[in-house]
Amino acid sequence: MGATFGAMNEIRVLTDPDLVVTPSSSHGRRQPGIGMRLASPRVFLWLASAILLAFLLVPLAAIFIRAIPSGAFNDSLGDPVVREALQLSLVTTALTLLVAIVLGTPVAYLLARYRFRGRDTLDTLIELPMVLPPAVAGVALLMAFGRRGILGPTLSTVFGLEIPFTTLAVVMAQTFVAAPFFIKAAKAGFESVDPDLEHVAATLGISRIQTFWSVTVPLSLPALMGGAVMAWARALGEFGATIMFAGNFMGRTQTMPLAIYQTMESGRLNAALVLSSILIVVSFSVLIIFKGLARFAAGDIGRPNA
Amino acid sequence: MGATFGAMNEIRVLTDPDLVVTPSSSHGRRQPGIGMRLASPRVFLWLASAILLAFLLVPLAAIFIRAIPSGAFNDSLGDPVVREALQLSLVTTALTLLVAIVLGTPVAYLLARYRFRGRDTLDTLIELPMVLPPAVAGVALLMAFGRRGILGPTLSTVFGLEIPFTTLAVVMAQTFVAAPFFIKAAKAGFESVDPDLEHVAATLGISRIQTFWSVTVPLSLPALMGGAVMAWARALGEFGATIMFAGNFMGRTQTMPLAIYQTMESGRLNAALVLSSILIVVSFSVLIIFKGLARFAAGDIGRPNA
Amino acid sequence: MQPAISAGPMLDVDITKRLATLDLAVVFSLDAEVLALFGPSGSGKSMTLKMIAGIETPDRGHIRSAEHTFFDSGAGVNLAPQRRRVGYVPQHYALFPHLTALENVTFPLRKGLRWPAGRARDRAHELLEMFGLADRAHARPRQLSGGQQQRVSLGRALAGEPDILLLDEPFAALDAPIRAELRQEFRAIQQRLQIPVLFVTHDLEEAASLAGRMAVVIDGAVRQLDLTRTILDRPVDRQVAQFVGARNIVPGAVRRHSTGICADTPIGAIGIAATSLKDGARADIIIRPDAIRIIRPGRPLDQLRDATMVSGTISDLIDHGTRIAVFATVEGTLLEASLSPTAAGRLELRIGDPIQLAILQAYLHVIPAGA
Amino acid sequence: MQPAISAGPMLDVDITKRLATLDLAVVFSLDAEVLALFGPSGSGKSMTLKMIAGIETPDRGHIRSAEHTFFDSGAGVNLAPQRRRVGYVPQHYALFPHLTALENVTFPLRKGLRWPAGRARDRAHELLEMFGLADRAHARPRQLSGGQQQRVSLGRALAGEPDILLLDEPFAALDAPIRAELRQEFRAIQQRLQIPVLFVTHDLEEAASLAGRMAVVIDGAVRQLDLTRTILDRPVDRQVAQFVGARNIVPGAVRRHSTGICADTPIGAIGIAATSLKDGARADIIIRPDAIRIIRPGRPLDQLRDATMVSGTISDLIDHGTRIAVFATVEGTLLEASLSPTAAGRLELRIGDPIQLAILQAYLHVIPAGA
Amino acid sequence: GNNDDAADGGGEITVFAAASLTDAFNDLKADFETEHPGVTITYNFGGSQQLATQLVEGARADVFASANYTQMEVAQDGDVVEGEPRLFSRNRLAIIVPNDNPADISEPPDLAQPGTKLVVAAEAVPVGGYTLEVLDKMSADPEFGEDFRANVEANFVSLEDNVRQVVSKVALGEADAGVVYVTDVTADVAPQVELVEIPEEFNVIAEYPIAMVQDGDAELANTFIDYVLSDAGQAILQEYGFTELPS
Ligand SMILES: Nc1ncnc2c1ncn2[C@@H]1O[C@H](COP(=O)(O)OP(=O)(O)OP(=O)(O)O)[C@@H](O)[C@H]1O
Ligand SMILES: Nc1ncnc2c1ncn2[C@@H]1O[C@H](COP(=O)(O)OP(=O)(O)OP(=O)(O)O)[C@@H](O)[C@H]1O
Ligand SMILES: [Mg+2]
Ligand SMILES: [Mg+2]
């Protein structure tokens, strides 16, 4: 689609030829009114984007600017504390993402495709963990699953499971704060899929579950991937709920954010920034690789609008 | 659509009649294989949902269970500290949401509709603030906009603006951590809109910006609303970046999460839980009202799939 | 798949559904045959198909195939679409936008019937080939023309060799040669599989040439279900008549006289062959355009037995390509006659010319007035 | 909007675009007239319309209206669709799913032309009324039948009184009576606005009755652009001939003899009226089904001057409703003749009967072989 | 801020104070403001580390009251405090156990019982450092045994970054014991925990330094610091469990 001719800007409009208007197209007849009307939103589009992007990126850059001269990267990477924290972060966030996707997808589907009494209430209840200050979330988790919590004694006597201070608690804390992001995004994604396509799949003898996998999921992939990224990122940066519910113990519950915090606590801000840079670089790589893989899996055109 | 006959479950399938199969429909011929295949995903759907919902809701309930007997709600609501914090939270998160929407929408549109070199990189960079532990985000903001930060001196000499420890800083901290959630969701929403509809609008003489407002936005509304809710919720619960970048000044930068923290710090856990309950109830009400209004504005059928 | 051995019809439909501006109430049944649903836009044809496919649920009634009850409001049965084994081509194709043409066709084979990949692909290729799409197999729907999309949808519906075919205007986006070819294919498929085929069409010629019988759906009800020829020749009421292309409907009163029956109409007394209507009954006389012969003045009339002669003036001539419509005003009434281009050329007609029309008695049809 | 006073054509198109399996290269121009784009599925008709509307960009060439250059690859011009003032009805309607029928039609008036709400609504109601949709004004596209959706799309395209109308199979989902009515409306609109109307159709009859001229697009190129009648009577090549419904194309060699010209063909020497082809040239003789008259044995032949008589056997009869196709085998070649149902009834034809065919010389068309 | 009108008795003092001082300092504020009409105190309560970072990054303040010397040193190294910090308060450590005391801990040696879940602050956090000092002192005592510290450390399940988290976990019954400041056992927490005293000889005294911030209003800052060090100020601090300053 979107044809090319002549020399074009590097930045190309994917879908709307409006912006392909070249200066000569107005043939000296362009009415100023129309020109203005077309120009100002475009100016706004770029200006607003530039402002927000600068706002988001300058602080990130600041971390590196401060961290790099300290030259402590190699030391940090060699530090077993850092390595263990990084490894724990990657493992627990992967598990969190898995849980969020496996259990969150049904919830999102339910909310998107079924109509039942209290649906809106449920939808809103699910949003509340996002509202809670993380430390409160941690306290809430303790009160629910802790030794004296609502479910804690049952878990302990029936399953012999004491959750706080374990790696499981880290995953639970992360899931608690991150899963709602996946659910919200997936729900919006499912809602954007034309139900007619699902109906037709049914007439073709394809079961509901197969339809879900082969039609609904591919068509809502951008939303699902966006949700997965948000949930993963939120989990990776999670600090307050984790330290409250899981505590801070190297190799078991000390994730990167906890390690960074502890470094800051000991008055070594620069070292903390180095760890933060490592976290940023690792996340960036993971995200880029993940997107590349997804793009590859979808053959780059998995979406109708691609 | 979705017709009714006879006595139906209260929970109705919106779109797929598969689930409307009543027991008698099998006429004694149901092959067990098919029955199993149809049943197990459904069981999984409900079971997984139930598990995750319980996991998310029990801790929330725990807060109330602990907070209510303390009976301190009225006291807390009368407390000027609480009132100021609540008010500040509502005002700053409203501003944050406004900024996230006004500036985030162009970014999302750009990422969804334009193809330019480095698009994926930009997309990923925007995700990084979600990854940062909030305290690090606060430090990064200080290093960018603080008195000794990268842009701080300029802002101060040119605009006479000292951002840290002001209400503006609260908004900026919240925006930094929350805007990416809106951008991600909005991007996925825009991607799900059929570009053909935008093309046709262009042939009808409707400018790109009008098309955006009248076609793209209404059709991606579930995603946009989801994104707005996520960003708002994330901003409302924001603690680490705020306290670092904006400080904890009553009436100026002490939002609800900071007030809750301070209450916890001074050893009053129960009081902190009461404040958390207030935060939860207020958010719940705001979210429910917001959804009701949106539904009303869209005439309940603003979406093709509604 | 065995041919069903069954006493009843292979598809029996008797359903009602209340829609915003229409109360749908359709009753019909069919065997291993091709039935056309023919009717005005918005009369409920697509909705009927959707209810049979299981995509929409009727309010009341039943739908039964030879082997299954699809739906029965009395018994509380509503079979899942997956188990109805219908091949359904929706009016707007509903192709899966993320799959190529080939994958769209392979889809029901792989996921529905769980065929091995190779076999499914071979079969899909065969279908695409049959529909002239071999070279577009790897294009996605957005990269296909309208007609190509429609053919992919046809291929997809056929792939699983369904027990019933439901086609919603399956050839509407196709040109005449492909259309003719596909009709041929469908006839062959239907004969091979011996299944009921229900198809919606707006094209009378298509209905006539593909279907044995035709159900005329007007305002949500099947008004007439019969052999196509019969409906064309003897529509049950004025609306059906108009809809199947009766251009001339002249009101009159039946009168029996010594040598036969005639109807007194504004254009004079027209001889009619037979009618069960009583003497003096008000009636509408339907005169098909091709039941009017145009006589060049001075032309011998001997061969035109059993015809009523009327005279008028040519008021308009419209060239429809394969036929020419001649509009003539007779006693203030406009009559439309139809000629082949060659005949029209021979007659050298011009607007304003006086003209003689022979209304052939054998092809007239009389229906009670107000029906 | 003033009628454009312009020396050149009102729409001048000369563009190329390379597609996956097709190299599109269309050249044509039109004035304030109705031109039909007619051609096989996948030949590039929709793509041509999209490029004129500004939705797709040609690789090279130009598109000019009376007042604007829409596109010119040489000059680097590519006018935004908003400024082309075309009314475009896409093949799949592309209605806005979140707006009601009424809102869809009001949309360009309110947002494009910035009419006040009241006036826009009145105009939209008027259009919906005209298209028989008054009672569905508040339904959303998903709640409309296919034909209703198509009509809303037509109303929407017309609402802004565009300078050019581009209609992609605008009546494909409509039944014959509505179709006839709408054609009438469109003719009236076109005559009132005096704008060029370009419409894609698969229906020869529609092309013939709505358009003055017709462009036959095959394999991405305009093969013939002429009066519809001319194309039907004198197609430039075999493919065009086949596509416009020439059923009988008989190969032969031209031979001039004392009393005229004939072509030696497998079914015998057929007299032809005129040809510019040299003696002995290989040619295809196109015999339209209605240029073949069927003679009942014993029927006087006096009136059939300038006809070649051949005999054969009836091999098939197909009832197309308004016409009957008679297939006859003559010397091993299958010929198709067309009869009105009444004539067919009179002749009492049966498969297997011997038959006499008169091939009317005046309606034959001879094209060089291999064209 | 540092308003210019400070000189004439009015103005605003911005005090960056460790979060553990919240209640005491809020109490002190009322008295101070009555004594110095026209002067208002604005507090920024937070972790000492966070406050130090803020100051180093350019935060404007007049007074910095840290919960430890480490973070005060960070501020000093960052060149943001003026003059020598003054010690204004002290705190001592105590062991707390949940009120049902599941591990049955009644005296410090019980901390070494295998299987006990101990929660303490991380070493980087002042109270965490002090905790280890206490353990070292105990290990040095033959009564506890040389491997006492190692045995206790084996029971750590979490090294909190904040003393409050230690309190919460013990109060909620998640940990069998924790080591905190005496001042952390507030009225709200008291019913949920039991205090196990650490004998004087093993205990460590935490010291709270206070200093003037550079570019701040020196006069007002000194007024506030003096007030904190005054008998009235000290009395309020002791009300909240802080230990007397050595004379
Ligand atoms: N989901 C719906 N809700 C309400 N009314 C509907 C819905 N779908 C269709 N209708 C209405 O029901 C009537 C029948 O629709 P249907 O699609 O069956 O018509 P149709 O006979 O297929 O017409 P067409 O030939 O134009 O496709 C129409 O008036 C339509 O507007
Ligand atoms: N976006 C695209 N990318 C690649 N090929 C395309 C694209 N759109 C159309 N084509 C191909 O270009 C050819 C012309 O398509 P077009 O839609 O113009 O056909 P059409 O003449 O309108 O046919 P129909 O009558 O079936 O609608 C087809 O072979 C089609 O598959
Ligand atoms: Mg329909
Ligand atoms: Mg097309």
Side-chain angles (χ1 to χ4, degrees), chain D residues 84-366:
Chain D
R84 298 190 180 194
R85 291 192 49 73
V86 300
Y88 171 53
V89 176
Q91 194 165 2
H92 295 134
Y93 328 146
L95 294 182
F96 300 116
H98 59 301
L99 302 179
T100 64
L102 185 68
E103 288 163 350
N104 263 282
V105 179
T106 324
F107 192 61
L109 300 175
R110 296 279 294 131
K111 309 280 175 177
L113 302 178
R114 293 162 188 282
W115 284 17
R119 186 171 158 220
R121 211 177 38 245
D122 290 350
R123 169 87 176 121
H125 265 303
E126 197 180 298
L127 283 161
L128 288 182
E129 194 92 46
M130 176 167 126
F131 292 137
L133 286 173
D135 61 335
R136 302 300 284 141
H138 299 293
R140 283 171 208 270
R142 277 181 65 83
Q143 300 163 326
L144 293 174
S145 80
Q148 289 166 344
Q149 288 178 36
Q150 187 158 44
R151 284 175 278 164
V152 174
S153 186
L154 279 167
R156 185 179 64 176
L158 274 181
E161 304 223 328
D163 292 350
I164 296 174
L165 267 180
L166 305 172
L167 314 174
D168 203 344
E169 309 196 19
F171 312 125
L174 299 173
D175 54 272
I178 296 193
R179 205 182 267 231
E181 211 176 280
L182 288 191
R183 274 183 214 154
Q184 202 78 31
E185 295 284 3
F186 267 79
R187 248 193 307 257
I189 289 165
Q190 191 274 332
Q191 258 145 40
R192 184 164 54 79
L193 299 179
Q194 284 298 316
I195 55 173
V197 175
L198 191 59
F199 85 103
V200 172
T201 184
H202 281 125
D203 182 340
L204 185 58
E205 181 168 323
E206 185 159 284
S209 57
L210 183 52
R213 299 191 303 157
M214 186 163 102
V216 182
V217 181
I218 294 178
D219 287 346
V222 176
R223 285 290 178 79
Q224 187 169 11
L225 193 164
D226 214 325
L227 296 177
T228 310
R229 190 76 263 158
T230 310
I231 294 179
L232 289 172
D233 289 346
R234 292 193 295 281
V236 291
D237 62 27
R238 203 185 159 96
Q239 267 183 304
V240 172
Q242 276 174 325
F243 199 73
V244 297
R247 317 291 296 211
N248 310 301
I249 303 184
V250 184
V254 174
R255 176 161 55 86
R256 281 163 220 270
H257 53 89
S258 52
T259 57
I261 318 175
C262 74
D264 293 312
T265 73
I267 58 170
I270 301 175
I272 51 183
T275 179
S276 57
L277 290 182
K278 279 205 287 283
D279 222 36
R282 306 235 50 102
D284 284 322
I285 323 298
I286 296 169
I287 310 171
R288 282 169 25 202
D290 64 327
I292 301 179
R293 306 205 66 199
I294 291 169
I295 315 292
R296 230 178 350 196
R299 160 87 197 287
L301 300 180
D302 60 343
Q303 56 167 339
L304 292 175
R305 275 170 295 120
D306 301 331
T308 307
M309 300 298 298
V310 296
S311 23
T313 337
I314 299 180
S315 55
D316 203 0
L317 290 167
I318 294 181
D319 186 346
H320 288 301
T322 53
R323 61 184 187 85
I324 312 284
V326 180
F327 292 88
T329 319
V330 178
E331 306 285 341
T333 298
L334 198 68
L335 289 184
E336 179 181 340
S338 174
L339 286 179
S340 74
T342 52
R346 232 168 27 239
L347 289 166
E348 286 168 7
L349 303 171
R350 265 171 317 181
I351 294 174
D353 280 1
I355 198 174
Q356 287 266 87
L357 304 174
I359 299 173
L360 305 177
Q361 190 171 307
Y363 304 100
L364 296 185
H365 179 58
V366 180

Side-chain angles (χ1 to χ4, degrees), chain A residues 14-195:
Chain A
L14 237 190
T15 51
D16 191 323
D18 188 330
L19 286 195
V20 192
V21 180
T22 52
S24 55
S25 71
S26 58
H27 267 272
R29 285 204 200 197
R30 166 176 272 178
Q31 295 122 289
I34 292 181
M36 289 305 287
R37 247 192 283 144
L38 286 176
S40 66
R42 211 186 314 168
V43 168
F44 177 75
L45 181 70
W46 290 98
L47 199 68
S49 300
I51 291 172
L52 188 59
L53 291 174
F55 174 64
L56 294 177
L57 300 184
V58 169
L60 286 172
I63 294 176
F64 285 90
I65 291 173
R66 187 77 162 257
I68 289 172
S70 83
F73 281 92
N74 287 342
D75 293 1
S76 293
L77 281 172
D79 185 347
V81 175
V82 177
R83 267 195 289 115
E84 289 212 39
L86 195 57
Q87 190 183 327
L88 188 71
S89 268
L90 292 177
V91 170
T92 54
T93 53
L95 287 171
T96 294
L97 188 58
L98 190 73
V99 174
I101 291 175
V102 170
L103 299 183
T105 304
V107 177
Y109 191 76
L110 215 63
L111 289 172
R113 281 280 188 265
Y114 289 64
R115 183 158 283 174
F116 48 90
R117 198 179 296 164
R119 189 174 63 140
D120 266 14
T121 309
L122 196 62
D123 187 49
T124 309
L125 286 174
I126 285 172
E127 291 159 358
L128 294 177
M130 300 191 286
V131 172
L132 281 188
V136 177
V139 172
L141 284 166
L142 279 178
M143 293 189 305
F145 303 103
R147 262 213 282 197
R148 291 195 195 163
I150 298 175
L151 302 177
T154 318
L155 289 172
S156 157
T157 48
V158 178
F159 303 99
L161 203 63
E162 286 205 5
I163 296 172
F165 311 117
T166 62
T167 306
L168 174 59
V170 176
V171 174
M172 283 173 70
Q174 290 174 353
T175 303
F176 185 73
V177 298
F181 290 98
F182 178 77
I183 297 175
K184 291 296 303 174
K187 176 184 173 237
F190 293 152
E191 279 175 347
S192 75
V193 175
D194 184 355

Side-chain angles (χ1 to χ4, degrees), chain A residues 10-16 18-19 41 44-46 48-49 51-53 55-60 62-63 65-66 102-104 106-107 109-110 112-117 120-134 136 139-141 143-145 150-151 172 175-176 180-181 183-185 188 191-195 198-199 208-209 222-223 226 229-230 233-234 236-237 244 257 260-261 264 269 273 276 279-280 283-284 287-288 291 295 303 305-306, chain B residues 10-16 18-19 41 44-46 48-49 51-53 55-60 62-63 65-66 102-104 106-107 109-110 112-117 120-136 139-141 143-145 150-151 172 175-176 180-181 183-185 188 191-195 198-199 207-209 222-223 226 229-230 233-234 236-237 244 257 260 264 269 273 276 279-280 283-284 287-288 291 295 303 305-306:
Chain A
E10 218 174 85
I11 293 180
R12 285 292 323 284
V13 178
L14 237 190
T15 51
D16 191 323
D18 188 330
L19 286 195
F44 177 75
L45 181 70
W46 290 98
S49 300
I51 291 172
L52 188 59
L53 291 174
F55 174 64
L56 294 177
L57 300 184
V58 169
L60 286 172
I63 294 176
I65 291 173
R66 187 77 162 257
V102 170
L103 299 183
V107 177
Y109 191 76
L110 215 63
R113 281 280 188 265
Y114 289 64
R115 183 158 283 174
F116 48 90
R117 198 179 296 164
D120 266 14
T121 309
L122 196 62
D123 187 49
T124 309
L125 286 174
I126 285 172
E127 291 159 358
L128 294 177
M130 300 191 286
V131 172
L132 281 188
V136 177
V139 172
L141 284 166
M143 293 189 305
F145 303 103
I150 298 175
L151 302 177
M172 283 173 70
T175 303
F176 185 73
F181 290 98
I183 297 175
K184 291 296 303 174
E191 279 175 347
S192 75
V193 175
D194 184 355
E198 295 175 352
H199 295 160
R208 208 172 157 81
I209 178 82
V229 166
M230 285 191 265
R234 179 71 186 81
L236 193 64
M244 186 55 88
I260 291 171
Y261 202 85
M264 277 169 79
L269 183 61
L273 293 176
S276 302
L279 183 65
I280 292 172
S283 335
F284 184 82
L287 290 169
I288 281 278
K291 280 176 205 178
R295 195 180 288 275
R303 291 239 62 230
N305 306 346
Chain B
E10 219 175 85
I11 293 182
R12 285 295 321 284
V13 178
L14 238 191
T15 50
D16 191 323
D18 187 329
L19 285 194
F44 176 75
L45 181 69
W46 290 99
S49 300
I51 291 173
L52 188 58
L53 291 174
F55 174 64
L56 294 177
L57 299 184
V58 168
L60 287 172
I63 294 176
I65 290 173
R66 184 73 168 258
V102 170
L103 300 183
V107 177
Y109 191 76
L110 216 64
R113 282 282 187 263
Y114 289 63
R115 183 157 282 174
F116 48 90
R117 197 178 296 165
D120 266 13
T121 309
L122 196 62
D123 187 48
T124 308
L125 285 174
I126 285 172
E127 290 159 359
L128 294 178
M130 302 191 286
V131 172
L132 281 189
V136 176
V139 173
L141 284 165
M143 292 189 305
F145 303 104
I150 298 174
L151 301 178
M172 283 173 70
T175 304
F176 185 73
F181 290 98
I183 297 175
K184 290 297 301 173
E191 278 175 347
S192 75
V193 175
D194 183 355
E198 296 176 354
H199 297 159
S207 68
R208 207 171 157 81
I209 178 80
V229 166
M230 285 191 265
R234 180 71 187 82
L236 193 64
M244 183 60 88
I260 292 170
M264 276 171 83
L269 183 61
L273 292 177
S276 302
L279 183 65
I280 293 172
S283 334
F284 184 81
L287 289 169
I288 280 278
K291 280 177 205 175
R295 194 179 289 272
R303 289 237 66 227
N305 307 347

Side-chain angles (χ1 to χ4, degrees), chain C residues 125 132 149 189 196 353:
Chain C
H125 266 303
Q149 287 177 36
I189 289 165
D353 281 1

Side-chain angles (χ1 to χ4, degrees), chain E residues 73-92:
Chain E
E73 276 157 23
V74 168
Q76 283 177 299
D77 293 347
D79 239 358
V80 291
V81 297
E82 219 169 78
E84 258 322 287
R86 295 163 71 185
L87 178 69
F88 75 93
S89 189
R90 303 201 307 165
N91 210 341
R92 56 199 164 83

Side-chain angles (χ1 to χ4, degrees), chain B:
Chain B
M1 303 274 296
T4 49
F5 76 93
M8 279 294 175
N9 275 328
E10 219 175 85
I11 293 182
R12 285 295 321 284
V13 178
L14 238 191
T15 50
D16 191 323
D18 187 329
L19 285 194
V20 192
V21 181
T22 52
S24 55
S25 70
S26 59
H27 268 269
R29 284 203 202 199
R30 167 176 271 179
Q31 296 123 287
I34 291 181
M36 289 306 289
R37 249 192 281 141
L38 286 175
S40 66
R42 214 188 310 170
V43 168
F44 176 75
L45 181 69
W46 290 99
L47 198 69
S49 300
I51 291 173
L52 188 58
L53 291 174
F55 174 64
L56 294 177
L57 299 184
V58 168
L60 287 172
I63 294 176
F64 285 89
I65 290 173
R66 184 73 168 258
I68 289 172
S70 83
F73 282 93
N74 287 342
D75 294 359
S76 293
L77 281 172
D79 184 347
V81 175
V82 177
R83 267 196 288 114
E84 287 206 44
L86 195 57
Q87 190 183 325
L88 188 70
S89 267
L90 292 178
V91 170
T92 54
T93 53
L95 287 171
T96 295
L97 188 58
L98 191 74
V99 173
I101 290 175
V102 170
L103 300 183
T105 304
V107 177
Y109 191 76
L110 216 64
L111 289 172
R113 282 282 187 263
Y114 289 63
R115 183 157 282 174
F116 48 90
R117 197 178 296 165
R119 188 173 65 138
D120 266 13
T121 309
L122 196 62
D123 187 48
T124 308
L125 285 174
I126 285 172
E127 290 159 359
L128 294 178
M130 302 191 286
V131 172
L132 281 189
V136 176
V139 173
L141 284 165
L142 274 179
M143 292 189 305
F145 303 104
R147 245 207 307 182
R148 303 194 183 161
I150 298 174
L151 301 178
T154 318
L155 288 171
S156 157
T157 47
V158 178
F159 303 100
L161 201 64
E162 285 202 10
I163 296 172
F165 313 110
T166 61
T167 306
L168 175 59
V170 176
V171 175
M172 283 173 70
Q174 290 175 353
T175 304
F176 185 73
V177 297
F181 290 98
F182 178 78
I183 297 175
K184 290 297 301 173
K187 175 183 173 239
F190 294 152
E191 278 175 347
S192 75
V193 175
D194 183 355
D196 274 356
L197 294 176
E198 296 176 354
H199 297 159
V200 167
T203 70
L204 293 169
I206 291 141
S207 68
R208 207 171 157 81
I209 178 80
Q210 289 251 33
T211 301
F212 175 75
W213 283 115
S214 319
V215 178
T216 316
V217 165
L219 289 176
S220 49
L221 211 56
L224 294 177
M225 281 187 29
V229 166
M230 285 191 265
W232 183 73
R234 180 71 187 82
L236 193 64
E238 167 39 45
F239 165 72
T242 309
I243 198 166
M244 183 60 88
F245 183 49
N248 179 20
F249 293 94
M250 203 184 115
R252 176 142 49 98
T253 68
Q254 190 181 70
T255 57
M256 274 302 269
L258 272 60
I260 292 170
Y261 162 82
Q262 188 162 309
T263 312
M264 276 171 83
E265 272 299 324
S266 61
R268 289 174 289 140
L269 183 61
N270 285 343
L273 292 177
V274 170
L275 295 195
S276 302
S277 311
I278 293 173
L279 183 65
I280 293 172
V281 170
V282 169
S283 334
F284 184 81
S285 315
V286 169
L287 289 169
I288 280 278
I289 292 169
F290 172 68
K291 280 177 205 175
L293 286 179
R295 194 179 289 272
F296 178 76
D300 200 0
I301 33 175
R303 289 237 66 227
N305 307 347

